[in-house]
Amino acid sequence: MYVDSNIGGSIDGTGGADLAILDEQITAAERVGFDGIWSTEVSRDPFLPLLLAADRSRTMQLGTAVAVAFARNPMTTAMVANDLNTLSRGRFVLGLGSQIQAHIERRFSMPWSAPADRMREYIHALHAIWASWQSGAKLDFRGQHYRHTLMTPMFSPQPNPFGSPKVMVAAVGPKMTAVAAEAADGLLVHGFTTARYLRDVTMPIVEHGMRISGRSRGDFTISYPGLVVTADDEHTYLEATHQVRRQIAFYGATPAYRGVLELHGWDDLHTELHRLSKAGDWSTMTTLVDDEVLSTFAVTGEPKEVGAEIVRRFGGMVDRFTLYTPYPLDEAARAAVVEGVKAAG
């Protein structure tokens, strides 16, 4: 199992808008021993941090986890992904997510439609564009949502010596998971996923998709940003626990993620979290995430113990594990977790 880190965004307690901060994040990730780094589209652009990372690191895999697909058209996404794959010498992975209707329409001012079918078409459009650049063949993609039929020599990049980027899709529900398994190179599991949901719901869909697409499990990458509660001292551990409870409460209030709670018999928890979120009562929401819910959604413990538990829970299902810590975690603790994962894996 490879173990990765986040840079640039705010999802893991980091800033990253300052180039010096980004530079230190990348350097620290290599120093700690991470195998890859992902940039998240939360409060920062997902691509710009990876431009710096491609220059600073010569070994780590670089990816977006995620870039919001429907906030962009396939051509603009294909262009930046192609450039990053060139600059990183083939180490870039394009991770795409659909986001929810409110964000697409009201934040990005873009049209909304059934996300699974649209994501499948989006991936096909990307591959058609990249294939045109690689082979020089006429671009003629005509879909329900996207139409790309013009590509002249002046606007066509030279064939990429490293090929086209790999595409991974973020999914929770069965329809989008099926799209990832049938049309993409990998699946970005949502952080609001338990080992049981991954085993009982996600993996059977992935296996079915592999059969449909004529591929084996070795052709497909599953990456999971797992919530972790750990620290070297009690005060920091308590703060980490609070922040992870808060993150679980936030996700648990989202209707799109209700199915994960339902699998565990926690339907009522979602109903109450959703009600409180509408009222803006985030403090009460956090208190509803009890120890059982916390330990189900997050790996908890001392840094030297957490790595082995990550492998025990997810080793047979996940190829890459990203340390998801929505609070500051010092370098020594990160290094201990990384060492534990690699030793156990």
PDB file of all heavy atoms in Angstrom, residues 54-76:
ATOM      1  N   ALA A  54       5.658  19.372  -9.365  1.00  0.00           N
ATOM      2  CA  ALA A  54       6.311  18.676 -10.480  1.00  0.00           C
ATOM      3  C   ALA A  54       7.767  19.098 -10.617  1.00  0.00           C
ATOM      4  O   ALA A  54       8.625  18.312 -11.020  1.00  0.00           O
ATOM      5  CB  ALA A  54       5.560  18.953 -11.782  1.00  0.00           C
ATOM      6  N   ASP A  55       8.047  20.348 -10.255  1.00  0.00           N
ATOM      7  CA  ASP A  55       9.411  20.849 -10.328  1.00  0.00           C
ATOM      8  C   ASP A  55      10.238  20.444  -9.108  1.00  0.00           C
ATOM      9  O   ASP A  55      11.417  20.103  -9.223  1.00  0.00           O
ATOM     10  CB  ASP A  55       9.388  22.374 -10.446  1.00  0.00           C
ATOM     11  CG  ASP A  55      10.777  22.974 -10.481  1.00  0.00           C
ATOM     12  OD1 ASP A  55      11.503  22.724 -11.461  1.00  0.00           O
ATOM     13  OD2 ASP A  55      11.140  23.687  -9.516  1.00  0.00           O
ATOM     14  N   ARG A  56       9.616  20.456  -7.919  1.00  0.00           N
ATOM     15  CA  ARG A  56      10.362  20.204  -6.690  1.00  0.00           C
ATOM     16  C   ARG A  56      10.633  18.718  -6.432  1.00  0.00           C
ATOM     17  O   ARG A  56      11.639  18.345  -5.852  1.00  0.00           O
ATOM     18  CB  ARG A  56       9.608  20.785  -5.490  1.00  0.00           C
ATOM     19  CG  ARG A  56       9.491  22.297  -5.495  1.00  0.00           C
ATOM     20  CD  ARG A  56      10.859  22.963  -5.359  1.00  0.00           C
ATOM     21  NE  ARG A  56      10.719  24.401  -5.164  1.00  0.00           N
ATOM     22  CZ  ARG A  56      10.695  25.288  -6.151  1.00  0.00           C
ATOM     23  NH1 ARG A  56      10.802  24.863  -7.416  1.00  0.00           N
ATOM     24  NH2 ARG A  56      10.575  26.578  -5.901  1.00  0.00           N
ATOM     25  N   SER A  57       9.700  17.870  -6.834  1.00  0.00           N
ATOM     26  CA  SER A  57       9.862  16.433  -6.580  1.00  0.00           C
ATOM     27  C   SER A  57      10.033  15.689  -7.904  1.00  0.00           C
ATOM     28  O   SER A  57       9.312  15.946  -8.867  1.00  0.00           O
ATOM     29  CB  SER A  57       8.633  15.881  -5.849  1.00  0.00           C
ATOM     30  OG  SER A  57       8.707  14.470  -5.775  1.00  0.00           O
ATOM     31  N   ARG A  58      10.967  14.752  -7.917  1.00  0.00           N
ATOM     32  CA  ARG A  58      11.209  13.945  -9.113  1.00  0.00           C
ATOM     33  C   ARG A  58      10.699  12.525  -8.967  1.00  0.00           C
ATOM     34  O   ARG A  58      10.838  11.719  -9.888  1.00  0.00           O
ATOM     35  CB  ARG A  58      12.714  13.901  -9.417  1.00  0.00           C
ATOM     36  CG  ARG A  58      13.355  15.255  -9.619  1.00  0.00           C
ATOM     37  CD  ARG A  58      12.763  15.989 -10.802  1.00  0.00           C
ATOM     38  NE  ARG A  58      13.395  17.295 -11.014  1.00  0.00           N
ATOM     39  CZ  ARG A  58      12.981  18.181 -11.893  1.00  0.00           C
ATOM     40  NH1 ARG A  58      11.914  17.924 -12.638  1.00  0.00           N
ATOM     41  NH2 ARG A  58      13.587  19.333 -12.023  1.00  0.00           N
ATOM     42  N   THR A  59      10.100  12.214  -7.828  1.00  0.00           N
ATOM     43  CA  THR A  59       9.709  10.821  -7.582  1.00  0.00           C
ATOM     44  C   THR A  59       8.239  10.650  -7.210  1.00  0.00           C
ATOM     45  O   THR A  59       7.630   9.649  -7.586  1.00  0.00           O
ATOM     46  CB  THR A  59      10.553  10.222  -6.441  1.00  0.00           C
ATOM     47  OG1 THR A  59      10.379  11.011  -5.254  1.00  0.00           O
ATOM     48  CG2 THR A  59      12.029  10.192  -6.825  1.00  0.00           C
ATOM     49  N   MET A  60       7.652  11.586  -6.483  1.00  0.00           N
ATOM     50  CA  MET A  60       6.307  11.373  -5.972  1.00  0.00           C
ATOM     51  C   MET A  60       5.252  11.457  -7.074  1.00  0.00           C
ATOM     52  O   MET A  60       5.370  12.245  -8.013  1.00  0.00           O
ATOM     53  CB  MET A  60       5.978  12.394  -4.875  1.00  0.00           C
ATOM     54  CG  MET A  60       6.707  12.154  -3.572  1.00  0.00           C
ATOM     55  SD  MET A  60       6.091  13.189  -2.214  1.00  0.00           S
ATOM     56  CE  MET A  60       6.583  14.816  -2.784  1.00  0.00           C
ATOM     57  N   GLN A  61       4.217  10.636  -6.940  1.00  0.00           N
ATOM     58  CA  GLN A  61       3.065  10.762  -7.824  1.00  0.00           C
ATOM     59  C   GLN A  61       2.308  12.030  -7.450  1.00  0.00           C
ATOM     60  O   GLN A  61       2.203  12.381  -6.282  1.00  0.00           O
ATOM     61  CB  GLN A  61       2.139   9.556  -7.687  1.00  0.00           C
ATOM     62  CG  GLN A  61       0.966   9.586  -8.671  1.00  0.00           C
ATOM     63  CD  GLN A  61       0.011   8.438  -8.485  1.00  0.00           C
ATOM     64  OE1 GLN A  61      -0.754   8.410  -7.525  1.00  0.00           O
ATOM     65  NE2 GLN A  61       0.035   7.486  -9.394  1.00  0.00           N
ATOM     66  N   LEU A  62       1.758  12.707  -8.455  1.00  0.00           N
ATOM     67  CA  LEU A  62       1.044  13.967  -8.239  1.00  0.00           C
ATOM     68  C   LEU A  62      -0.363  13.837  -8.794  1.00  0.00           C
ATOM     69  O   LEU A  62      -0.561  13.324  -9.893  1.00  0.00           O
ATOM     70  CB  LEU A  62       1.758  15.116  -8.961  1.00  0.00           C
ATOM     71  CG  LEU A  62       3.291  15.170  -8.872  1.00  0.00           C
ATOM     72  CD1 LEU A  62       3.825  16.257  -9.778  1.00  0.00           C
ATOM     73  CD2 LEU A  62       3.735  15.390  -7.432  1.00  0.00           C
ATOM     74  N   GLY A  63      -1.356  14.299  -8.036  1.00  0.00           N
ATOM     75  CA  GLY A  63      -2.714  14.174  -8.532  1.00  0.00           C
ATOM     76  C   GLY A  63      -3.672  15.179  -7.927  1.00  0.00           C
ATOM     77  O   GLY A  63      -3.407  15.759  -6.866  1.00  0.00           O
ATOM     78  N   THR A  64      -4.791  15.378  -8.596  1.00  0.00           N
ATOM     79  CA  THR A  64      -5.879  16.190  -8.060  1.00  0.00           C
ATOM     80  C   THR A  64      -6.882  15.256  -7.393  1.00  0.00           C
ATOM     81  O   THR A  64      -7.281  14.253  -7.974  1.00  0.00           O
ATOM     82  CB  THR A  64      -6.587  16.978  -9.171  1.00  0.00           C
ATOM     83  OG1 THR A  64      -6.986  16.100 -10.229  1.00  0.00           O
ATOM     84  CG2 THR A  64      -5.655  18.034  -9.736  1.00  0.00           C
ATOM     85  N   ALA A  65      -7.281  15.608  -6.197  1.00  0.00           N
ATOM     86  CA  ALA A  65      -8.228  14.755  -5.468  1.00  0.00           C
ATOM     87  C   ALA A  65      -9.165  15.625  -4.631  1.00  0.00           C
ATOM     88  O   ALA A  65      -9.075  15.657  -3.431  1.00  0.00           O
ATOM     89  CB  ALA A  65      -7.497  13.777  -4.563  1.00  0.00           C
ATOM     90  N   VAL A  66     -10.038  16.364  -5.325  1.00  0.00           N
ATOM     91  CA  VAL A  66     -10.292  16.241  -6.752  1.00  0.00           C
ATOM     92  C   VAL A  66     -10.335  17.623  -7.396  1.00  0.00           C
ATOM     93  O   VAL A  66     -10.418  18.641  -6.712  1.00  0.00           O
ATOM     94  CB  VAL A  66     -11.660  15.552  -7.033  1.00  0.00           C
ATOM     95  CG1 VAL A  66     -11.659  14.125  -6.576  1.00  0.00           C
ATOM     96  CG2 VAL A  66     -12.822  16.349  -6.418  1.00  0.00           C
ATOM     97  N   ALA A  67     -10.354  17.611  -8.748  1.00  0.00           N
ATOM     98  CA  ALA A  67     -10.743  18.783  -9.520  1.00  0.00           C
ATOM     99  C   ALA A  67     -12.212  18.601  -9.887  1.00  0.00           C
ATOM    100  O   ALA A  67     -12.640  17.495 -10.233  1.00  0.00           O
ATOM    101  CB  ALA A  67      -9.898  18.893 -10.781  1.00  0.00           C
ATOM    102  N   VAL A  68     -12.982  19.671  -9.791  1.00  0.00           N
ATOM    103  CA  VAL A  68     -14.413  19.579 -10.082  1.00  0.00           C
ATOM    104  C   VAL A  68     -14.605  19.563 -11.600  1.00  0.00           C
ATOM    105  O   VAL A  68     -14.380  20.557 -12.283  1.00  0.00           O
ATOM    106  CB  VAL A  68     -15.179  20.759  -9.455  1.00  0.00           C
ATOM    107  CG1 VAL A  68     -16.669  20.660  -9.792  1.00  0.00           C
ATOM    108  CG2 VAL A  68     -14.982  20.764  -7.937  1.00  0.00           C
ATOM    109  N   ALA A  69     -15.028  18.424 -12.117  1.00  0.00           N
ATOM    110  CA  ALA A  69     -15.136  18.239 -13.562  1.00  0.00           C
ATOM    111  C   ALA A  69     -16.122  19.218 -14.187  1.00  0.00           C
ATOM    112  O   ALA A  69     -15.817  19.896 -15.177  1.00  0.00           O
ATOM    113  CB  ALA A  69     -15.545  16.803 -13.873  1.00  0.00           C
ATOM    114  N   PHE A  70     -17.321  19.301 -13.620  1.00  0.00           N
ATOM    115  CA  PHE A  70     -18.392  20.049 -14.271  1.00  0.00           C
ATOM    116  C   PHE A  70     -18.261  21.554 -14.116  1.00  0.00           C
ATOM    117  O   PHE A  70     -19.081  22.317 -14.630  1.00  0.00           O
ATOM    118  CB  PHE A  70     -19.750  19.581 -13.748  1.00  0.00           C
ATOM    119  CG  PHE A  70     -19.964  18.095 -13.884  1.00  0.00           C
ATOM    120  CD1 PHE A  70     -20.790  17.415 -13.008  1.00  0.00           C
ATOM    121  CD2 PHE A  70     -19.323  17.372 -14.885  1.00  0.00           C
ATOM    122  CE1 PHE A  70     -20.994  16.047 -13.123  1.00  0.00           C
ATOM    123  CE2 PHE A  70     -19.518  16.000 -15.017  1.00  0.00           C
ATOM    124  CZ  PHE A  70     -20.349  15.335 -14.133  1.00  0.00           C
ATOM    125  N   ALA A  71     -17.219  22.000 -13.403  1.00  0.00           N
ATOM    126  CA  ALA A  71     -16.904  23.425 -13.361  1.00  0.00           C
ATOM    127  C   ALA A  71     -16.061  23.826 -14.568  1.00  0.00           C
ATOM    128  O   ALA A  71     -15.807  25.010 -14.790  1.00  0.00           O
ATOM    129  CB  ALA A  71     -16.145  23.763 -12.080  1.00  0.00           C
ATOM    130  N   ARG A  72     -15.651  22.825 -15.378  1.00  0.00           N
ATOM    131  CA  ARG A  72     -14.792  23.047 -16.536  1.00  0.00           C
ATOM    132  C   ARG A  72     -15.317  22.224 -17.703  1.00  0.00           C
ATOM    133  O   ARG A  72     -16.006  21.241 -17.507  1.00  0.00           O
ATOM    134  CB  ARG A  72     -13.355  22.588 -16.212  1.00  0.00           C
ATOM    135  CG  ARG A  72     -12.747  23.243 -14.987  1.00  0.00           C
ATOM    136  CD  ARG A  72     -11.490  22.509 -14.529  1.00  0.00           C
ATOM    137  NE  ARG A  72     -10.828  23.237 -13.450  1.00  0.00           N
ATOM    138  CZ  ARG A  72     -11.154  23.127 -12.161  1.00  0.00           C
ATOM    139  NH1 ARG A  72     -12.125  22.290 -11.789  1.00  0.00           N
ATOM    140  NH2 ARG A  72     -10.514  23.829 -11.245  1.00  0.00           N
ATOM    141  N   ASN A  73     -14.921  22.576 -18.906  1.00  0.00           N
ATOM    142  CA  ASN A  73     -15.261  21.709 -20.028  1.00  0.00           C
ATOM    143  C   ASN A  73     -14.100  20.743 -20.291  1.00  0.00           C
ATOM    144  O   ASN A  73     -12.961  20.995 -19.850  1.00  0.00           O
ATOM    145  CB  ASN A  73     -15.616  22.527 -21.283  1.00  0.00           C
ATOM    146  CG  ASN A  73     -14.441  23.314 -21.813  1.00  0.00           C
ATOM    147  OD1 ASN A  73     -13.437  22.750 -22.240  1.00  0.00           O
ATOM    148  ND2 ASN A  73     -14.551  24.641 -21.791  1.00  0.00           N
ATOM    149  N   PRO A  74     -14.333  19.644 -20.972  1.00  0.00           N
ATOM    150  CA  PRO A  74     -13.262  18.656 -21.189  1.00  0.00           C
ATOM    151  C   PRO A  74     -12.013  19.212 -21.872  1.00  0.00           C
ATOM    152  O   PRO A  74     -10.903  18.760 -21.582  1.00  0.00           O
ATOM    153  CB  PRO A  74     -13.953  17.595 -22.050  1.00  0.00           C
ATOM    154  CG  PRO A  74     -15.388  17.669 -21.645  1.00  0.00           C
ATOM    155  CD  PRO A  74     -15.654  19.128 -21.430  1.00  0.00           C
ATOM    156  N   MET A  75     -12.169  20.179 -22.768  1.00  0.00           N
ATOM    157  CA  MET A  75     -10.999  20.709 -23.476  1.00  0.00           C
ATOM    158  C   MET A  75     -10.052  21.430 -22.527  1.00  0.00           C
ATOM    159  O   MET A  75      -8.828  21.221 -22.575  1.00  0.00           O
ATOM    160  CB  MET A  75     -11.441  21.652 -24.598  1.00  0.00           C
ATOM    161  CG  MET A  75     -10.291  22.200 -25.446  1.00  0.00           C
ATOM    162  SD  MET A  75      -9.361  20.911 -26.330  1.00  0.00           S
ATOM    163  CE  MET A  75     -10.572  20.409 -27.561  1.00  0.00           C
ATOM    164  N   THR A  76     -10.579  22.302 -21.665  1.00  0.00           N
ATOM    165  CA  THR A  76      -9.705  23.026 -20.741  1.00  0.00           C
ATOM    166  C   THR A  76      -9.055  22.060 -19.748  1.00  0.00           C
ATOM    167  O   THR A  76      -7.888  22.214 -19.398  1.00  0.00           O
ATOM    168  CB  THR A  76     -10.491  24.108 -19.986  1.00  0.00           C
ATOM    169  OG1 THR A  76     -11.626  23.520 -19.334  1.00  0.00           O
ATOM    170  CG2 THR A  76     -10.968  25.192 -20.920  1.00  0.00           C
TER     171      THR A  76
END
